[in-house]
Amino acid sequence: EPEVTQTPSHQVTQMGQEVILRCVPISNHLYFYWYRQILGQKVEFLVSFYNNEISEKSEIFDDQFSVERPDGSNFTLKIRSTKLEDSAMYFCASSLAGAYNEQFFGPGTRLTVL
Amino acid sequence: AQSVTQLDSQVPVFEEAPVELRCNYSSSVSVYLFWYVQYPNQGLQLLLKYLSGSTLVESINGFEAEFNKSQTSFHLRKPSVHISDTAEYFCAVSHNAGNMLTFGGGTRLMVKP
């Protein structure tokens, strides 16, 4: 069964460093998403991506964040200068189409900023 | 703006007992409703969804949820739980103008033998 994969499973970084979280969505899916979950809090939407551009983003997704689909298979989230409060579990998801279609989630990357 | 409230952060229950996980939402537009389940060390998996039509929707493993528009609720129920149902359950909404999911805080279902 096809699945969304994410690497690494755990990333530890120093405050101020850049990190890139990687995702491989399901191959025939067209919409891609990033969500995050700070420990003990809700899963929060960050950004959605379709047709090589951002289709929707939340207030959390400020200039420190960027997304890219560098090739036909990977979907990345970059945080330019990490802050302590960026520590969270980051989930990638993909769906075949938009609004009411099932989003398939990866297992997540736990980011720890020291 | 839309929001989702899951009133219970943890629900302990004995095996074979019935369970209800509560979800209420608020939105100024029509919404689609979802329940996702997260087993330990795994990603979120769709359990069931309401898009339109019959207000009662069912999953393949015995869960069901009922959309109640007047009470803005989408509670999840199972008449008899198993140990393997132990997981975190998330209620979520999206609206037809966008595809972002708004999640509730999650409910940890703990099934005891």
Side-chain angles (χ1 to χ4, degrees):
Chain A
E1 186 175 326
E3 58 182 13
V4 177
T5 59
Q6 291 185 243
T7 54
S9 57
H10 192 187
Q11 173 92 44
V12 182
T13 189
Q14 295 290 327
M15 190 170 56
Q17 295 295 304
E18 174 183 287
V19 294
I20 297 176
L21 309 183
R22 302 180 192 280
C23 169
V24 178
I26 294 173
S27 61
N28 62 337
H29 284 187
L30 302 177
Y31 290 76
F32 314 111
Y33 314 83
W34 284 101
Y35 294 81
R36 78 171 185 191
Q37 185 179 28
I38 296 171
L39 190 63
Q41 298 185 26
K42 293 184 177 185
V43 176
E44 302 171 292
F45 169 79
L46 294 178
V47 66
S48 61
F49 191 85
Y50 169 71
N51 200 25
N52 281 321
E53 61 183 24
I54 290 173
S55 52
E56 204 168 4
K57 62 181 181 178
S58 70
E59 292 175 353
I60 303 167
F61 194 87
D62 61 22
D63 292 344
Q64 291 297 313
F65 291 89
S66 62
V67 289
E68 193 178 28
R69 188 154 163 82
D71 52 42
S73 60
N74 289 281
F75 179 52
T76 61
L77 174 70
K78 182 192 292 186
I79 309 175
R80 270 182 257 288
S81 177
T82 50
K83 308 184 190 84
L84 295 176
E85 55 265 37
D86 293 327
S87 294
M89 181 71 91
Y90 287 81
F91 293 105
C92 173
S94 69
S95 66
L96 191 56
Y100 51 83
N101 275 253
E102 177 180 355
Q103 294 183 22
F104 291 79
F105 284 77
T109 293
R110 180 165 297 284
L111 176 66
T112 302
V113 182
L114 302 175
Chain B
Q2 53 203 23
S3 66
V4 180
T5 302
Q6 291 181 245
L7 294 167
D8 307 300
S9 59
Q10 293 187 61
V11 173
V13 64
F14 287 105
E15 195 173 19
E16 297 183 6
V19 71
E20 177 179 84
L21 307 183
R22 295 179 291 171
C23 172
N24 288 89
Y25 69 92
S26 67
S27 176
S28 56
V29 298
S30 296
V31 294
Y32 304 118
L33 295 153
F34 305 83
W35 275 99
Y36 278 83
V37 59
Q38 185 180 32
Y39 299 103
N41 301 314
Q42 295 186 29
L44 289 83
Q45 303 172 32
L46 182 68
L47 191 58
L48 45 75
K49 62 184 177 184
Y50 170 79
L51 305 179
S52 64
S54 172
T55 57
L56 185 66
V57 290
E58 298 176 351
S59 73
I60 57 172
N61 56 354
F63 283 94
E64 63 178 33
E66 185 158 21
F67 169 56
N68 188 319
K69 189 174 182 179
S70 63
Q71 296 187 6
T72 59
S73 68
F74 191 55
H75 301 331
L76 182 70
R77 301 184 186 96
K78 189 169 184 179
S80 176
V81 295
H82 302 289
I83 296 284
S84 58
D85 293 325
T86 295
E88 184 118 24
Y89 292 79
F90 294 92
C91 183
V93 302
S94 71
H95 58 87
N96 57 9
N99 48 18
M100 60 173 274
L101 289 170
T102 299
F103 284 89
T107 298
R108 185 171 299 278
L109 176 63
M110 299 175 293
V111 182
K112 305 181 217 179

